[in-house]
Amino acid sequence: MAEKLRKNTVPVEESVGMVLPHDITEIVKDRFKGRAFRKGHIIRAEDVEHLRRLGKEHIYVLELGPEEIHENEAALLMAAALAGPGVEYSEEVVEGKINLAASIDGLLKIDRESLYRFNLLGEVMCATLQDNTPVKRGEPVAGLRLIPLVAARRVVEEAVSVARSGAPVVRVEPLAKVRAGLVITGNEVYHGRIEDRFEGVLREKLTGFGSTVGPVRFAPDDAELIAGAIASCLAEGAELIVTSGGMSVDPDDVTRLGIALAGAESVVYGTPVLPGAMLLIGRIGSVPVLGVPACGMFHAITVLDLVLPRILIGERIGREQLAALGHGGLCRQCARCQYPICSFGKS
């Protein structure tokens, strides 16, 4: 195919009046990268010098056969196959590329196996943000293109087949808007020795994901009273329980016992994530329970930020899912936090 394209060219000075078969890109370091000429542009005499400045000495003359496909058509076919629910794209192909964008606020999910098999084909490509990245509506989540200008149609047909072989390759799941119950534990807060700061932190995180905070209960370091506070939140209709503090190995830290007494099942304690190693996840009936360690009050981003959106899309997080967080589970503690535009939580 490449050899055929090399033969089907004319010198740029002889191209006046021809129709450009593809976009031509211009790059000016630190200033501009974009389309200098659009596909379909009719070359004028005054364009010749500009094309030469862009390094163009020849222009393709394309005559595609029935078994061949142009990059623009290929990009549109692949975009339609790769984009799942919660994803949108413009049908204007720019420089051979199409970007997929989130059509809703939510959590990006990538079928990594299908994406890998798609990219193994070689003449097609799709680059995405990482799986389980929180995204906002309109945010680009993937980019794709045919790598050569023209390819065999069967290659693109195979790529489309791979993209449609399982779950959508690129999708954005909406976050459920739940009413959460908070249980703030610790003698120091319960008895008024210090002012509680945890409630504000948890409230900000929950509302940031579109949920609300309902009942808030305070309990001392007493497992039975903690269990009672959890039961009270459930009785008031809490759809998610978040407890704060009391998760360490200290003898007074009994929040885990309180969660167990409240009836939690499928409990997993401990994660390979820093900060957040002592997180607890369980369920009481259909209600998820999160035991957040004290680091959640101090650090801006912790393991809570990694698991909470996944719980809000209905995932059940167990030992296997937590173990996978170890690769990428060390926060760099940057002076200026840019999460989620960083490596934290990106396994």
Coordinates of all heavy atoms in Angstrom, one line a residue, residues 260-310:
A260 N -18.5 -4.7 62.7 CA -18.8 -6.1 62.7 C -20.1 -6.4 63.5 O -21.0 -7.1 63.1 CB -17.7 -6.9 63.3
L261 N -20.2 -5.7 64.7 CA -21.3 -5.9 65.6 C -22.6 -5.4 64.9 O -23.7 -5.9 65.1 CB -21.2 -5.2 66.9 CG -20.3 -5.8 67.9 CD1 -20.1 -4.9 69.2 CD2 -20.9 -7.2 68.4
A262 N -22.5 -4.4 64.0 CA -23.6 -3.8 63.3 C -24.1 -4.8 62.2 O -25.2 -4.5 61.6 CB -23.2 -2.5 62.7
G263 N -23.4 -5.9 62.0 CA -23.9 -6.9 61.0 C -23.2 -6.9 59.7 O -23.6 -7.5 58.7
A264 N -22.0 -6.2 59.6 CA -21.3 -6.2 58.3 C -20.8 -7.5 57.9 O -20.3 -8.3 58.7 CB -20.1 -5.2 58.4
E265 N -20.9 -7.8 56.6 CA -20.5 -9.0 56.0 C -19.5 -8.7 54.8 O -19.4 -7.5 54.4 CB -21.7 -9.8 55.5 CG -22.6 -10.2 56.6 CD -23.8 -11.0 56.0 OE1 -24.1 -10.8 54.8 OE2 -24.5 -11.7 56.8
S266 N -18.9 -9.7 54.3 CA -17.9 -9.6 53.2 C -16.9 -8.5 53.5 O -16.6 -7.6 52.6 CB -18.7 -9.2 51.9 OG -19.6 -10.2 51.6
V267 N -16.5 -8.5 54.7 CA -15.6 -7.4 55.2 C -14.1 -7.7 54.7 O -13.6 -8.8 54.8 CB -15.6 -7.3 56.7 CG1 -14.5 -6.3 57.2 CG2 -17.0 -6.9 57.2
V268 N -13.5 -6.6 54.1 CA -12.1 -6.7 53.8 C -11.4 -5.5 54.5 O -11.9 -4.4 54.3 CB -12.0 -6.5 52.2 CG1 -10.5 -6.6 51.9 CG2 -12.7 -7.6 51.5
Y269 N -10.4 -5.8 55.2 CA -9.6 -4.8 56.0 C -8.2 -4.8 55.5 O -7.5 -5.8 55.4 CB -9.7 -5.1 57.4 CG -8.9 -4.2 58.3 CD1 -9.1 -2.8 58.4 CD2 -7.9 -4.7 59.1 CE1 -8.3 -2.0 59.2 CE2 -7.1 -3.9 59.9 CZ -7.3 -2.6 60.0 OH -6.6 -1.7 60.8
G270 N -7.8 -3.6 55.1 CA -6.4 -3.4 54.7 C -6.2 -3.3 53.2 O -6.9 -4.1 52.4
T271 N -5.5 -2.3 52.7 CA -5.3 -2.1 51.3 C -3.8 -1.9 51.0 O -3.1 -1.3 51.9 CB -6.1 -0.9 50.7 OG1 -5.4 0.3 51.1 CG2 -7.5 -0.9 51.3
P272 N -3.3 -2.2 49.8 CA -1.9 -1.9 49.4 C -1.8 -0.5 48.9 O -1.3 -0.3 47.8 CB -1.6 -3.0 48.4 CG -2.9 -3.2 47.7 CD -4.0 -3.0 48.8
V273 N -2.4 0.5 49.6 CA -2.4 1.9 49.1 C -1.9 2.8 50.2 O -2.3 2.6 51.4 CB -3.9 2.3 48.7 CG1 -3.9 3.8 48.3 CG2 -4.4 1.4 47.6
L274 N -1.1 3.7 49.9 CA -0.7 4.8 50.9 C -0.9 6.1 50.3 O -0.4 6.4 49.2 CB 0.8 4.6 51.2 CG 1.2 3.3 52.0 CD1 2.7 3.1 52.0 CD2 0.6 3.4 53.4
P275 N -1.6 7.0 50.9 CA -2.3 6.8 52.2 C -3.6 6.0 52.1 O -4.3 6.2 51.1 CB -2.5 8.2 52.7 CG -2.6 9.0 51.5 CD -1.7 8.4 50.5
G276 N -3.9 5.2 53.2 CA -5.1 4.5 53.2 C -5.0 3.0 53.5 O -5.9 2.3 53.2
A277 N -3.9 2.6 54.0 CA -3.6 1.1 54.2 C -4.7 0.4 55.1 O -5.0 -0.7 54.9 CB -2.2 0.9 54.7
M278 N -5.3 1.2 56.0 CA -6.2 0.6 57.0 C -7.6 0.8 56.7 O -8.5 0.7 57.5 CB -5.8 1.0 58.4 CG -4.5 0.6 58.8 SD -4.0 1.1 60.4 CE -2.4 0.3 60.6
L279 N -8.0 1.0 55.4 CA -9.3 1.1 55.0 C -10.1 -0.2 55.2 O -9.5 -1.3 55.0 CB -9.4 1.5 53.5 CG -10.8 1.6 52.9 CD1 -11.4 3.0 53.3 CD2 -10.8 1.4 51.4
L280 N -11.4 -0.1 55.5 CA -12.2 -1.3 55.7 C -13.4 -1.1 54.7 O -14.0 -0.1 54.6 CB -12.7 -1.5 57.1 CG -13.7 -2.7 57.4 CD1 -13.5 -3.2 58.8 CD2 -15.2 -2.3 57.2
I281 N -13.8 -2.2 54.0 CA -14.9 -2.2 53.1 C -15.8 -3.5 53.5 O -15.3 -4.6 53.7 CB -14.5 -2.3 51.7 CG1 -13.7 -1.1 51.2 CG2 -15.8 -2.4 50.8 CD1 -13.3 -1.1 49.8
G282 N -17.1 -3.2 53.6 CA -18.0 -4.3 53.9 C -19.4 -4.0 53.4 O -19.6 -2.9 52.8
R283 N -20.4 -4.8 53.8 CA -21.8 -4.5 53.5 C -22.7 -4.9 54.6 O -22.4 -6.0 55.3 CB -22.2 -5.3 52.2 CG -21.4 -4.9 51.0 CD -21.9 -5.6 49.7 NE -23.1 -5.0 49.2 CZ -23.1 -3.9 48.4 NH1 -22.0 -3.4 48.0 NH2 -24.2 -3.4 47.9
I284 N -23.7 -4.2 54.8 CA -24.8 -4.6 55.7 C -26.0 -4.7 54.9 O -26.6 -3.7 54.4 CB -25.0 -3.6 56.9 CG1 -23.7 -3.4 57.7 CG2 -26.1 -4.0 57.8 CD1 -23.8 -2.4 58.8
G285 N -26.4 -5.9 54.5 CA -27.4 -6.1 53.5 C -26.9 -5.6 52.2 O -25.9 -6.0 51.7
S286 N -27.7 -4.6 51.6 CA -27.3 -4.1 50.3 C -26.5 -2.8 50.5 O -26.1 -2.1 49.5 CB -28.5 -3.8 49.5 OG -29.4 -2.9 50.1
V287 N -26.3 -2.3 51.7 CA -25.7 -1.0 52.0 C -24.2 -1.2 52.1 O -23.7 -1.9 53.1 CB -26.3 -0.4 53.2 CG1 -25.6 1.0 53.5 CG2 -27.8 -0.2 53.0
P288 N -23.4 -0.5 51.3 CA -21.9 -0.6 51.5 C -21.5 0.2 52.8 O -22.1 1.2 53.1 CB -21.4 0.2 50.2 CG -22.5 0.2 49.3 CD -23.7 0.2 50.1
V289 N -20.5 -0.3 53.4 CA -19.9 0.3 54.6 C -18.4 0.5 54.4 O -17.7 -0.4 54.0 CB -20.1 -0.6 55.8 CG1 -19.5 0.1 57.1 CG2 -21.6 -0.9 56.1
L290 N -18.0 1.8 54.6 CA -16.6 2.1 54.5 C -16.0 2.6 55.8 O -16.6 3.5 56.4 CB -16.4 3.3 53.5 CG -16.7 2.9 52.0 CD1 -16.7 4.2 51.2 CD2 -15.8 1.9 51.5
G291 N -15.0 1.9 56.3 CA -14.3 2.4 57.5 C -13.0 3.2 57.1 O -12.1 2.6 56.6
V292 N -13.1 4.5 57.2 CA -12.0 5.3 56.7 C -11.0 5.6 57.8 O -11.4 6.1 58.9 CB -12.6 6.7 56.1 CG1 -11.4 7.5 55.6 CG2 -13.6 6.4 55.1
P293 N -9.7 5.3 57.6 CA -8.7 5.6 58.6 C -8.5 7.1 58.8 O -8.9 7.9 58.0 CB -7.5 4.8 58.1 CG -7.7 4.7 56.7 CD -9.1 4.6 56.4
A294 N -7.8 7.4 59.9 CA -7.6 8.8 60.2 C -6.8 9.6 59.2 O -7.0 10.8 59.1 CB -6.9 8.9 61.6
C295 N -6.0 8.9 58.3 CA -5.3 9.6 57.3 C -6.2 10.3 56.3 O -5.8 11.3 55.6 CB -4.4 8.6 56.5 SG -5.3 7.4 55.5
G296 N -7.5 9.9 56.2 CA -8.4 10.5 55.4 C -8.8 11.9 55.7 O -9.3 12.7 54.9
M297 N -8.5 12.3 57.0 CA -8.7 13.7 57.4 C -7.5 14.6 57.1 O -7.7 15.7 56.8 CB -9.0 13.7 58.9 CG -9.2 15.1 59.5 SD -9.7 15.0 61.2 CE -8.2 14.2 62.0
F298 N -6.3 14.0 57.0 CA -5.1 14.8 56.8 C -4.7 14.9 55.4 O -4.4 16.0 54.9 CB -3.9 14.1 57.6 CG -2.6 14.9 57.4 CD1 -2.4 16.0 58.1 CD2 -1.7 14.4 56.6 CE1 -1.2 16.7 58.0 CE2 -0.5 15.0 56.4 CZ -0.2 16.2 57.1
H299 N -4.8 13.9 54.6 CA -4.4 13.9 53.2 C -5.5 14.3 52.3 O -6.6 13.8 52.5 CB -3.8 12.5 52.8 CG -2.6 12.1 53.5 ND1 -1.3 12.7 53.2 CD2 -2.4 11.3 54.6 CE1 -0.4 12.1 54.0 NE2 -1.0 11.3 54.9
A300 N -5.2 15.1 51.3 CA -6.2 15.5 50.4 C -6.8 14.4 49.6 O -8.0 14.3 49.3 CB -5.7 16.6 49.4
I301 N -5.9 13.4 49.2 CA -6.4 12.3 48.4 C -5.8 11.0 49.0 O -4.7 10.9 49.4 CB -5.8 12.4 46.9 CG1 -6.3 13.7 46.2 CG2 -6.2 11.2 46.1 CD1 -7.8 13.7 46.0
T302 N -6.7 10.1 49.2 CA -6.4 8.8 49.8 C -7.1 7.6 49.0 O -7.7 7.9 48.0 CB -6.9 8.7 51.3 OG1 -8.3 8.6 51.3 CG2 -6.4 9.9 52.0
V303 N -7.0 6.4 49.6 CA -7.6 5.3 49.0 C -9.1 5.5 48.8 O -9.8 5.0 47.9 CB -7.3 4.0 49.8 CG1 -7.9 4.1 51.1 CG2 -7.7 2.8 49.0
L304 N -9.7 6.3 49.7 CA -11.1 6.6 49.6 C -11.5 7.2 48.3 O -12.6 6.8 47.7 CB -11.6 7.6 50.7 CG -13.0 8.0 50.7 CD1 -13.9 6.8 50.9 CD2 -13.3 9.0 51.8
D305 N -10.7 8.0 47.7 CA -10.9 8.6 46.4 C -10.9 7.6 45.3 O -11.5 7.8 44.2 CB -10.0 9.8 46.1 CG -10.1 10.8 47.1 OD1 -10.9 11.8 46.9 OD2 -9.4 10.8 48.2
L306 N -10.2 6.5 45.5 CA -10.1 5.4 44.5 C -11.3 4.5 44.5 O -11.7 4.0 43.5 CB -8.8 4.6 44.7 CG -7.5 5.4 44.7 CD1 -6.3 4.5 44.9 CD2 -7.3 6.3 43.5
V307 N -11.7 4.2 45.7 CA -12.8 3.2 45.8 C -14.2 3.7 45.9 O -15.2 3.1 45.4 CB -12.6 2.3 47.1 CG1 -11.2 1.6 47.1 CG2 -12.8 3.0 48.4
L308 N -14.4 5.0 46.4 CA -15.7 5.5 46.5 C -16.4 5.6 45.1 O -17.6 5.2 45.0 CB -15.7 6.9 47.2 CG -17.0 7.6 47.4 CD1 -18.0 6.7 48.1 CD2 -16.8 8.9 48.1
P309 N -15.8 6.2 44.1 CA -16.6 6.2 42.8 C -16.9 4.9 42.2 O -17.9 4.7 41.6 CB -15.6 7.0 41.9 CG -14.3 7.0 42.5 CD -14.5 6.9 44.0
R310 N -16.1 3.9 42.5 CA -16.4 2.5 42.0 C -17.6 1.9 42.8 O -18.4 1.2 42.2 CB -15.1 1.6 42.2 CG -14.0 2.1 41.3 CD -12.7 1.3 41.4 NE -12.9 -0.1 41.0 CZ -11.9 -1.0 41.0 NH1 -10.6 -0.6 41.4 NH2 -12.1 -2.2 40.6

